[in-house]
Each structure stands twice: as structure tokens, then as C-alpha cells.
Amino acid sequence: MSADLIGLLVLAAVFLVATVRPVNMGALALVAAFVVGTTVFDVEVADVLGGFPASLFVILVGVTYLFALAKNNGTVDWIVHAAVRLVGGRVSLIPWAMFLVAGAITAIGAVTPAAVAIIAPVAMSFAVRNRINPVLMGFMVVQGATAGSFSPIGVFGVITNGVVADNDFDAFPLRLFLGSLVTALVMCVIAYVVLRNRDLDGGRLDREAVGADLSSAAMAASGAATRTPVTGTPDALVERGERLRRSGGRGGEADTTADDAPTPTLDLQRSLTLAGLVLLAVLALAFGLDVGFTALAVAVVLTLVFPASAKGAVDKVSWGTVLLIGGIVTYVALLDEQGTIDRFGDAVAGFGTPLLAALVICFIGALVSAFASTTGILGTLIPLSVPFLLAGEIGTVGLVVALAISSSVVDCSPFSTNGALVVANSEPAQRDRIFRSLMILGMGLVVVAPLVTWLALIVTTS
């Protein structure tokens, strides 16, 4: 067996083992990089460590640290309240409020499971109380969180743009974000039109005597929004989601009352935090400053000015995600350094026409992401696509955006972390039907998303 084949099989094994066992994929990938590098490719440990993505590390730590500060000082609390207040007393707009809240939280640096864990308990409670289709509500929460993650300071956006830049292509953060956002909006509009007046059995909803107490709901939302970010394995996240469902999605995991919580106001600290987030986006997009160091600078200034609210913020950095992407990128860098990536890319390009190869890669991204880590897929498949991207027959922007969308919209699958959190936060009597509905939606998107994005973003631009 060739060294290239062993390296690729080990990579596939890393995804498989981390999917079925409670181990961080990044930690597993780092061990695999050490073992494969020193035994199969006969390289020094220093050479293996040379592939560690230091720039991505700084970016991920910076943006998630800044988000942790925003949670600690109540800025996220204020954002949740503001979004809920936007819909007034209109029940029909509650799903869109949840979409906006989830998107806003991930757009400022939260990882998607943390955002879904914050919003899902509140959103699914809204759905029951106001007779909103729970599948629609869960779907919109997940898609909102996914779309926001591709912002220039969102985790998916940071990872994708970083991997693109590391492979000597020009980054396109705004087009990536807009592509993801437009896709999520279109899918949610379709889901809203089809599902808003339907129950779980497909019948029409009876909305008589439906009333929404958005004031108390906003209090519950604000309590949930200030909770510690959730990271870990899908099983741990589902278990946490079950505890949150039992507690009503409030600030703690005990059954506390959130209705007495004060309404958050936009005080000096929160105003400066919002200004810092806006400044980060402007400096990164308009002036090209490094996102990671800029985010850290904003966070450090906020810490110096308001030290009390910074207590414990470092502990809330998404270290699990940092480890995951660091390990995956290190292993892929090892394969790249040994020429495995180039040879695999040439083999994929030789599979047929470059257009067909692009479609295969999008399908692989969607299928694997529906069961495993979207973060890991983004860090893996883009480098594997580089060889036939260099041939010039496929546009870099079209393929990367199509791959990003195909790999992320399937996160509503109940086999993924986000979909599992939605199921866990559902009413027990509805859980089986919600699971089946999300499975159908997720598996349908595994087929439809690659085809549609391939046609819209790759075929039309090639």
C-alpha cells in the first residue's frame, strides 16, 4: 500500500472515529499527523508541527474571545432583546426573529453549536406556545446560525478564508458571506411558505386562541443568551440540550424564573462593545487588517476599560473548535507537504471533466458534513481541490462558495450537532416526528444543495 493511500485512509478514519466516538477530531488528527508523519513519511516532528496554522489559531482565539466578552457584559443579551422586540406581537415573525438572533450571534464570533444551544431552547419553547411548526423553527435557527458563521469574523468565514489564503488564492470574504446568507434566506423563505401553516403531520394548524407573550419570552431569551458557550461532542451537546429543555432555556440549568430579569439597556460598556465589533468588521474588510490580531486588540481594550466583565472570558474561548481546526489543518498540511494532496487532486481531476470533479467534491462535502464536522470538512476539502483549481477551468470563488454552502446547509440533519440540539430541545411527544422531518430535510439537502450550487455557482461561471 502506498504512503499516499495510507495518509488518505487515515484522514478518512479520523472523520469516522470522531463521528462515532466522543473524541475531539482535532486531537485525533494531531496524533495521526505525528504517527503518519514519523512512520509513513519519515519526517521529523518539527516538520509535522510546521504545518500548524498559527494564523488561524490567532483568528479563532481572537474572535471567540471577543464574543465571550460580549456575552459577559450583556451585549449578546441586548442583541437578543432587540431582535425579539422587532417582531412586536406578530407570531408569524417569531421564526425570523430567531433566524436573525442566531445569525447575529455567530456573525460576531460564536461557533454554531454554541449559538444553537443558546437559541434553540427559547425558539422551540416559542414554537410550542404559539403553535408554530417546530420543524420550521428549528430549521430557521440552524440556517441563521450557519449563515452568520460565514461573516468575515464568523468561525466558518475565518476558516474558509484562511484556508483559501494559505493556498495562495485571493480571499473573497464578502462574496462568501453573501452567498451563504442569500442561500439561507432562500431556503428559509421556501420552508416558511411550505411549513408555517402546517403541523408535524402535514395538516393545517389551528391558530385559534393563539397569543404570544413576547415580553416574558424575551426575558427567557436574554437569560439563555448569557450562558457559557457549548462545545464538545454531539452526544454531550444533546445531553446539554436535554437539560436546557427541562429548564425552559433559562440562564441556569435549574428551573429558575427569568421573567424577573431586568430588560437590558444599551449602556456605555455594551455600546463600546458594539462599536468594537463594527470597528473590527470595518478594519478587516475596508483596510485589510488581520482579523485575529484586530479582534484581540479590541478585546484587550475592552478588558482594560471594563476588567470586571472580562472575568472568565478566556475560559469561554471555543478551545474545542481551535483544537479541531488546528489538528485537521496540521494533518492536511502534512499530506500537502508530501505531495499527497497534489496527486489526489490530479486523480480527482482525471475522474472526468473538471466540472464533474467539482460536483463530486461538493457531494462529498455535503454527505460527510451531514454526519460529521462541517469545520473539519472546510479545512480538508478546499486544499484537496487546489490542484484542479490551478488548472484554471473551474473558478475558485464559485467552487469554494459552492463547497462551503453544500457542507453547511445540511447541518439541520439530526445526525449533526446542530440538528441534534434542535431535536433535544423539542417537546418529548414531538421528538420522534421532528427527528424524522429533519432527517428528510437534511438528506434531501445532501442531494439538492450540491446540485443547485454546482449549477448556479460553478457551471454558470466556468
Side-chain angles (χ1 to χ4, degrees), residues 361-455:
I361 285 182
C362 287
F363 269 120
I364 292 173
L367 181 61
V368 176
S369 184
F371 295 90
S373 167
T374 302
T375 306
I377 282 294
L378 292 175
T380 302
L381 288 186
I382 295 174
L384 292 176
S385 307
V386 169
F388 70 89
L389 281 175
L390 292 174
E393 297 185 46
I394 299 293
T396 304
V397 176
L399 177 60
V400 171
V401 175
L403 178 57
I405 293 172
S406 299
S407 301
S408 60
V409 298
V410 298
D411 284 353
C412 63
S413 161
F415 304 110
S416 73
T417 303
N418 293 337
L421 279 168
V422 170
V423 174
N425 284 286
S426 304
E427 287 296 302
Q430 298 177 334
R431 201 165 289 167
D432 288 343
R433 286 178 292 171
I434 292 174
F435 179 92
R436 287 195 297 270
S437 297
L438 289 178
M439 182 175 64
I440 292 171
L441 273 173
M443 295 305 103
L445 287 173
V446 167
V447 176
V448 174
L451 278 173
V452 172
T453 55
W454 177 72
L455 288 170

Side-chain angles (χ1 to χ4, degrees), residues 67-83:
F67 172 75
L69 288 174
K71 290 183 67 178
N72 272 7
N73 64 29
T75 303
V76 172
D77 188 349
W78 182 87
I79 292 172
V80 172
H81 265 270

Side-chain angles (χ1 to χ4, degrees), residues 320-333:
T321 300
V322 172
L323 177 58
L324 188 153
I325 192 63
I328 288 293
V329 172
T330 299
Y331 188 85
V332 172

Side-chain angles (χ1 to χ4, degrees), residues 193 218 279 294 372 417:
V193 170
L279 180 64
T294 306
T417 303

